[in-house]
C-alpha cells in the first residue's frame, strides 16, 4: 500500500536553537518539530536519566494508599494484588507484589481469566478473595471503571484502586484511587502506564517505610511501559531509558530468560526489541492460557525455572502466531470483494480465538488502512476488538452506535465491544455509515511523516550516534524517518531465504550506502528499471569490527515521474495487450514485474504503479479474476463497461478534480 509523505517544513529558528542547545542542526530540527524549543527542554529530553523522579505523594490519595498498605504489612494482614492479563498488568502485578513482600507483607496476586472473567474487577472474584481471608485488595492497571463491584464490597473488603485508564463520570468508592487522570489529581505526569502508577506506589511505600529513594525494578517498569504504548515522554521516558539500560546490562532473572529465548543475548536492548519480541512472548500467556505464567516468569529468582517458563511462553507465542495467521487468512478471504469504496472493516466468526483478534484487527489496518473490528462469538454474544486509523476516534464512533451494542469501552485508537448476534448487521451498517460520514477519501491513504529530505550519503557515523540520543522511541516520540526523492539504486538484490528481503546500494559508485528493506525482495526487479522515492531510517552497521552507515528502508514509492494514473485511453491499450498475452483459456500467468516488461515493450514505458492501478480497475469491473498461483484470468465483458463503476478509477478522478491528488 502506497504511503503519502507528510514532510516537515524546516524551521528557520532551529539553526540558532542548534547552537544554543549544542546539538547538530538536523537534531535541532527534530526537537523543534516535537515542541522542544529551549536548551533546558532539549537537555531534559536528551538526558532524562539526569532528572529526578517526581514526588509520588503529589498523586491524589497516595498518602491514604501508602498508609493503609504499610499498616497491613505491619499487622501481617493478607494483601491481594489484583492485576490484568496484558503485559502492563503482568509487570504491574509483579512490581507491587515483589515490593510489598520485600517490605515484609503477606501478599499474593490474582489475575482474571480473559476468556471466562473478562477484563477488570469482577464481583465473584472479589467475593472469593475475601472468603479466602484477604482484608486488603490493591488493583493494578484496572479498576477505574468498576464502580458497582467496588461499591458492592464496601464495608466487607478494603480496596485500593491503581489504574491509568480514563475515569468515567464517577470514581469507584474505594479506600483510595490512584490515577493521574483524575480531574482532581495534581500529579504532573498524566500518561503513566499502569506499571508506572504501581512504580509510584512502590516509591511512596519505600519512602515512608525506609526513607529511601526507590529506583529499583526499572527493567520491569520499562517492559510494561513500552508494551502498553503510552507516550514515551516525561517520566515515562526516564523509566524506559533507564530500564532499557538495566535490561541490557543486568536484567532480572525472568527478563534475562525472556531475552535469551528471543535470541537477543549480547544485544543492546531497545524499545523495538521490547515491543516486537519480548512483550509478545509475555502477551501470549494471557492471550492463549493464563497471564499467571507471565507473572511467574517475571517474579522468578531461579534461572533454571525461569528458562523453563520462558521456553513455554516462547512456544505459546509460536502457537499464537499460527492462530493469528489462520484467522487473518480467513478474515481476508471474507474481504475478497474489498474496494476503495469500503469505509470500514467488520468481520466476524463463530470460533475465532478471542485472545488474538485484537492483533488480527491491527493486521487488517496495516493491510487495508481502514478502521477494523474483528469479532468472535462467545455463547450468545459477539465480542470484538477494534483498531482505528488517524482521523477516526474509535470510542466516539462506538458511542454513536451505542444503540446497537450491549457494551463498549476504549479510547481513540483501540476499543472493545459486545453485540448480540441479531444486532451485528445493524452495528456493521451504523459503524460504516459513521466512518463514511466522518472521514474524507484522503484519510484512507496511510501517511508517513518525513522529518527531512536527506540523501543517504549525507549521514556520518557521529551524526547517526547523535541522532540516537532521541531514543527510546515510541508513542509521542516516533522514530525519525527521512526521505530521498527520485532515486535509482545502483543495484538491488533479493536476499535471504527464497529472496524474501531486499538489499540496495544507494548513492554513487564512489560513495555507496547499503539499504535493507525487510520482506520486500520482490521489488528487486522493479528497482532495476524505475526511479523511486525512499523513506528510511539511518543506522550503524558493524561487520567484523568495521562500522558503516546503512539505511533501514521504511517504505518505497514510485517517483513522481512513475506515478502515472491510467486514463481511459491507456486502460484500453493495456487491456488490448493483456488480451494478446493470454492463453486460450484466458489465463495470464505472469507476475507483475514480468507483465510490466511485456506491456512496456508493446506500449512504451509503463510503470509498475500504472499497471498495478490498471489491474485493480479491471478486477473491480469484473474483467479479470485472480488465480491461486498469482496470475489472473480475463473475463469477457457481458455489458457495456463504465469506468466509473470501478472505485479505484472513480475515487482517483474525484480526488483530482478536488485538487487532493498528490
Amino acid at each position: 500500500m502506497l504511503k503519502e509523505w507528510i514532510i516537515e517544513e524546516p524551521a528557520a529558528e532551529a539553526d540558532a536553537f542548534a547552537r544554543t542547545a549544542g546539538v547538530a542542526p538536523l537534531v535541532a530540527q527534530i526537537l523543534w518539530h516535537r515542541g522542544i524549543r529551549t536548551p533546558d527542554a532539549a537537555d531534559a529530553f536528551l538526558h532524562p536519566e539526569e532528572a529526578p523522579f517526581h514526588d509520588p505523594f503529589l498523586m491524589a490519595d497516595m498518602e491514604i494508599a501508602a498508609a493503609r498498605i504499610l499498616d497491613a504489612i505491619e499487622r501481617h494482614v493478607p494483601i491481594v494484588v489484583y492485576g490484568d492479563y496484558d503485559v502492563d498488568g503482568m509487570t504491574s502485578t509483579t512490581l507491587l507484589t515483589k515490593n510489598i513482600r520485600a517490605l515484609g507483607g503477606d501478599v499474593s496476586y490474582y489475575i482474571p481469566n480473559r476468556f471466562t472473567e473478562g477484563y477488570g474487577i469482577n464481583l465473584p472474584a472479589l467475593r472469593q478473595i475475601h472468603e479466602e481471608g484477604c482484608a486488603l485488595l490493591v488493583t493494578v492497571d484496572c479498576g477505574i471503571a468498576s464502580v458497582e463491584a467496588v461499591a458492592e464490597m464496601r464495608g466487607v473488603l478494603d480496596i485500593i484502586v491503581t489504574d491509568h485508564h480514563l475515569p468515567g463520570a464517577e470514581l469507584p468508592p474505594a479506600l483510595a484511587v490512584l490515577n493521574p487522570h483524575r480531574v482532581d489529581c495534581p500529579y504532573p505526569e498524566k500518561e503513566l502506564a499502569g506499571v508506572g502508577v504501581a512504580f509510584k506506589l512502590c516509591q511512596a511505600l519505600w519512602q515512608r517505610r525506609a526513607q529511601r529513594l526507590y529506583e529499583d525494578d526499572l527493567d520491569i517498569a520499562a517492559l510494561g511501559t513500552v508494551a502498553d504504548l503510552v507516550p514515551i515522554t516525561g517520566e515515562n521516558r526516564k523509566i524506559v531509558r533507564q530500564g532499557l539500560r538495566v535490561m541490557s546490562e543486568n536484567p532480572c532473572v525472568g527478563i534475562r530468560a525472556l531475552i535469551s529465548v528471543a535470541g537477543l543475548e549480547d544485544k543492546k536492548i531497545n524499545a523495538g526489541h521490547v515491543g516486537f519480541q519480548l512483550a509478545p512472548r509475555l502477551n501470549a500467556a494471557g492471550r492463549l492460557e493464563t497471564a499467571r505464567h507471565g507473572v511467574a516468569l517475571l517474579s522468578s529468582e531461579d534461572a533454571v525455572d525461569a528458562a523453563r517458563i520462558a521456553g513455554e511462553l516462547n512456544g505459546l507465542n509460536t502457537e499464537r502466531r499460527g492462530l493469528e495467521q489462520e484467522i487473518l487468512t480467513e478474515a481476508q478471504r471474507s474481504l475478497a470483494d474489498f474496494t476503495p469504496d469500503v469505509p470500514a472493516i467488520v468481520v466476524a466468526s463463530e470460533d475465532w480465538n478471542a485472545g488474538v483478534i485484537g492483533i488480527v484487527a491491527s493486521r487488517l489496518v496495516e493491510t487495508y488502512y481502514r478502521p477494523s473490528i474483528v469479532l468472535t462469538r462467545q455463547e450468545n454474544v459477539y465480542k470484538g476488538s477494534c483498531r482505528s486509523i488517524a482521523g477516526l476516534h474509535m470510542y466516539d464512533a462506538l458511542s454513536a452506535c451505542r444503540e446497537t451494542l450491549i457494551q463498549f469501552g476504549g479510547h481513540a485508537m483501540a476499543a472493545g465491544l459486545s453485540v448480540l448476534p441479531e444486532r451485528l448487521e445493524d452495528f456493521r451498517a451504523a459503524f460504516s455509515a459513521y466512518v463514511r460520514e466522518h472521514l474524507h477519501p484522503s484519510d484512507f491513504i496511510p501517511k508517513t511523516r518525513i522529518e527531512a529530505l536527506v540523501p543517504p550519503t549525507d549521514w556520518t557515523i557521529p551524526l547517526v550516534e547523535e541522532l540516537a540520543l532521541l531514543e527510546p522511541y515510541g508513542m509521542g516520540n516516533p522514530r525519525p524517518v527521512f526521505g530521498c526523492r527520485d532515486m535509482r539504486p545502483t543495484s538491488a538484490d533479493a536476499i535471504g531465504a527464497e529472496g524474501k528481503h531486499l538489499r540496495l546500494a544507494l548513492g554513487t559508485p564512489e560513495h555507496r550506502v547499503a539499504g535493507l528493506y525487510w520482506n520486500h525482495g520482490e521489488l528487486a526487479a522493479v528497482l532495476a528499471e524505475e526511479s523511486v522515492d525512499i523513506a528510511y531510517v539511518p543506522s550503524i552497521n558493524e561487520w567484523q569490527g568495521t562500522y558503516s552507515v546503512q539505511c533501514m528502508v521504511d517504505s518505497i514509492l514510485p517517483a513522481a515521474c512513475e506515478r502515472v494514473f491510467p486514463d481511459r485511453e491507456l486502460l484500453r491499450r493495456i487491456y488490448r495487450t493483456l488480451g494478446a498475452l493470454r492463453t486460450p483459456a484466458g489465463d495470464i500467468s505472469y507476475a507483475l514485474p514480468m507483465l510490466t516488461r511485456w506491456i512496456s515493450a508493446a506500449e512504451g514505458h509503463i510503470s509498475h504503479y500504472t499497471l498495478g492501478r490498471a489491474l485493480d480497475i479491471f478486477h473491480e469491473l469484473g474483467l479479470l479474476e485472480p488465480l491461486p498461483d498469482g496470475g489472473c484470468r480475463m473475463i469477457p465483458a457481458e455489458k457495456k463497461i463504465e469506468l466509473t463503476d470501478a472505485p479505484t478509477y472513480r475515487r482517483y478522478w474525484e480526488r483530482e478534480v478536488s485538487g487532493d491528488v498528490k
Side-chain angles (χ1 to χ4, degrees):
M1 181 178 291
L2 298 183
K3 295 183 179 180
E4 184 177 297
W5 285 11
I6 306 298
I7 303 174
E8 292 284 359
E9 292 293 330
E13 304 92 335
D15 286 343
F17 175 49
R19 291 190 293 272
T20 57
V23 297
L26 186 58
V27 174
Q29 286 282 353
I30 297 169
L31 293 172
W32 192 272
H33 293 155
R34 298 182 186 194
I36 300 166
R37 299 178 177 180
T38 68
D40 287 345
D43 187 63
F45 184 84
L46 298 175
H47 305 286
E49 66 281 356
E50 297 177 3
F53 282 108
H54 296 298
D55 182 356
F57 290 99
L58 291 174
M59 195 174 294
D61 283 0
M62 185 63 82
E63 288 279 6
I64 299 170
R68 179 65 181 90
I69 294 171
L70 290 172
D71 177 69
I73 292 172
E74 287 285 343
R75 296 189 294 110
H76 301 289
V77 171
I79 303 170
V80 169
V81 176
Y82 190 113
D84 186 28
Y85 42 69
D86 66 2
V87 176
D88 192 15
M90 294 180 212
T91 52
S92 302
T93 301
T94 302
L95 197 70
L96 189 55
T97 303
K98 175 183 178 181
N99 282 280
I100 290 176
R101 186 172 291 123
L103 287 162
D106 177 4
V107 62
S108 59
Y109 63 87
Y110 183 92
I111 297 180
N113 185 296
R114 79 183 302 154
F115 302 105
T116 60
E117 297 177 86
Y119 167 77
I121 296 176
N122 67 88
L123 197 54
L126 294 184
R127 288 172 175 157
Q128 175 189 332
I129 290 168
H130 171 65
E131 289 171 2
E132 292 175 352
C134 172
L136 174 62
L137 181 139
V138 185
T139 77
V140 288
D141 192 35
C142 64
I144 197 65
S146 304
V147 176
E148 295 180 1
V150 173
E152 187 73 21
M153 298 301 291
R154 189 160 44 184
V156 178
L157 177 65
D158 279 354
I159 297 176
I160 295 171
V161 170
T162 81
D163 202 348
H164 72 118
H165 297 97
L166 294 175
E170 181 182 358
L171 294 177
L175 182 69
V177 177
L178 305 183
N179 188 326
H181 286 296
R182 282 178 54 169
V183 294
D184 62 339
C185 182
Y187 195 73
E189 296 290 346
K190 302 299 182 183
E191 300 297 339
L192 293 173
V195 71
V197 179
F199 180 81
K200 301 308 297 185
L201 177 55
C202 292
Q203 284 190 321
L205 293 173
W206 283 105
Q207 188 171 320
R208 281 289 181 265
R209 181 66 178 271
Q211 293 77 50
R212 83 172 181 89
L213 180 61
Y214 166 82
E215 294 189 7
D216 304 340
D217 306 311
L218 283 164
D219 50 347
I220 297 173
L223 177 57
T225 299
V226 172
D228 212 54
L229 301 179
V230 293
I232 307 300
T233 56
E235 204 161 42
N236 285 338
R237 185 167 169 79
K238 178 178 174 69
I239 289 171
V240 174
R241 171 74 73 86
Q242 294 187 229
L244 291 175
R245 187 182 70 244
V246 176
M247 284 190 215
S248 299
E249 298 173 358
N250 188 31
C252 68
V253 173
I255 292 180
R256 186 183 298 278
L258 202 61
I259 288 171
S260 178
V261 297
L264 297 174
E265 290 177 301
D266 302 322
K267 291 186 181 295
K268 182 179 179 181
I269 304 300
N270 59 38
H273 293 138
V274 173
F276 296 106
Q277 297 190 59
L278 303 185
R281 286 171 165 80
L282 277 176
N283 253 332
R287 292 186 184 280
L288 298 183
E289 289 193 358
T290 168
R292 294 185 68 88
H293 294 312
V295 178
L297 174 64
L298 296 174
S299 303
S300 178
E301 297 181 358
D302 181 272
V304 174
D305 188 52
R308 175 186 59 79
I309 301 172
E312 292 173 355
L313 292 179
N314 197 50
L316 284 175
N317 190 52
T318 301
E319 181 183 347
R320 186 269 306 167
R321 287 201 302 266
L323 280 172
E324 172 194 324
Q325 187 56 51
E326 289 176 12
I327 296 173
L328 179 61
T329 300
E330 290 182 28
Q332 290 180 315
R333 192 177 297 127
S334 72
L335 296 169
D337 295 331
F338 178 87
T339 73
D341 277 349
V342 175
I345 291 172
V346 180
V347 292
S349 173
E350 299 297 303
D351 58 2
W352 286 340
N353 186 291
V356 301
I357 58 175
I359 303 175
V360 174
S362 297
R363 298 290 180 267
L364 292 175
V365 170
E366 291 172 5
T367 303
Y368 300 97
Y369 204 66
R370 295 292 188 275
S372 298
I373 300 176
V374 181
L375 303 106
T376 187
R377 188 160 180 164
Q378 296 181 344
E379 297 180 352
N380 63 340
V381 171
Y382 278 107
K383 300 277 189 176
S385 286
C386 318
R387 299 294 183 270
S388 194
I389 63 175
L392 184 85
H393 195 293
M394 182 60 77
Y395 184 86
D396 288 349
L398 297 181
S399 295
C401 306
R402 65 172 64 246
E403 291 184 0
T404 66
L405 300 172
I406 300 172
Q407 61 183 17
F408 63 93
H411 47 81
M413 299 305 291
L417 61 83
S418 300
V419 59
L420 291 170
E422 59 267 27
R423 299 304 306 274
L424 178 56
E425 290 307 315
D426 294 336
F427 167 70
R428 180 183 277 116
F431 182 70
S432 295
Y434 181 93
V435 174
R436 186 177 286 109
E437 179 182 350
H438 286 79
L439 293 186
H440 184 270
S442 62
D443 293 323
F444 296 117
I445 300 173
K447 313 294 191 296
T448 294
R449 175 180 170 181
I450 302 296
E451 292 286 350
L453 296 177
V454 182
T457 51
D458 280 8
W459 290 95
T460 63
I461 289 176
L463 182 56
V464 177
E465 290 175 336
E466 184 172 347
L467 186 71
L469 290 174
L470 296 169
E471 299 181 19
Y473 301 121
M475 292 289 290
N477 181 43
R479 179 182 294 275
V481 177
F482 302 89
C484 189
R485 297 283 200 193
D486 200 13
M487 292 191 68
R488 183 166 291 189
T490 56
S491 67
D493 302 293
I495 61 172
E498 300 178 351
K500 186 176 181 181
H501 308 300
L502 180 67
R503 180 175 60 201
L504 307 171
L506 306 172
T508 65
E510 296 76 25
H511 188 181
R512 290 187 179 183
V513 175
L516 292 173
Y517 196 11
W518 303 122
N519 301 313
H520 287 279
E522 79 283 354
L523 292 179
V526 176
L527 296 176
E529 303 169 354
E530 299 179 8
S531 297
V532 292
D533 296 342
I534 297 180
Y536 69 91
V537 174
S539 67
I540 296 174
N541 179 52
E542 187 271 330
W543 174 251
Q544 296 182 342
T546 300
Y547 295 85
S548 60
V549 174
Q550 67 179 5
C551 294
M552 309 306 296
V553 177
D554 172 84
S555 60
I556 293 178
L557 303 177
C561 61
E562 308 286 3
R563 290 200 298 271
V564 177
F565 193 87
D567 59 15
R568 183 180 298 272
E569 173 58 22
L570 184 53
L571 287 168
R572 185 189 64 78
R573 290 163 47 204
I574 291 173
Y575 191 74
R576 179 189 63 200
T577 306
L578 285 173
L581 296 174
R582 65 182 175 178
T583 67
D587 294 355
I588 301 171
S589 59
Y590 304 109
L592 183 60
M594 182 59 72
L595 198 57
T596 306
R597 291 176 185 172
W598 280 102
I599 294 180
S600 292
E603 300 293 339
H605 177 68
I606 291 176
S607 71
H608 290 77
Y609 169 85
T610 303
L611 181 58
R613 299 297 76 72
L615 296 180
D616 289 341
I617 292 167
F618 297 150
H619 282 303
E620 292 167 9
L621 293 173
L623 299 175
L624 292 178
E625 66 177 21
L627 295 174
D629 62 0
C632 56
R633 174 171 294 157
M634 297 190 74
I635 307 298
E638 297 181 353
K639 60 180 181 179
K640 182 180 179 181
I641 297 299
E642 294 290 344
L643 286 176
T644 53
D645 288 340
T648 294
Y649 184 89
R650 185 183 68 254
R651 281 185 170 261
Y652 177 85
W653 293 109
E654 286 174 350
R655 290 183 64 214
E656 185 182 70
V657 169
S658 67
D660 197 36
V661 173
K662 297 181 181 179

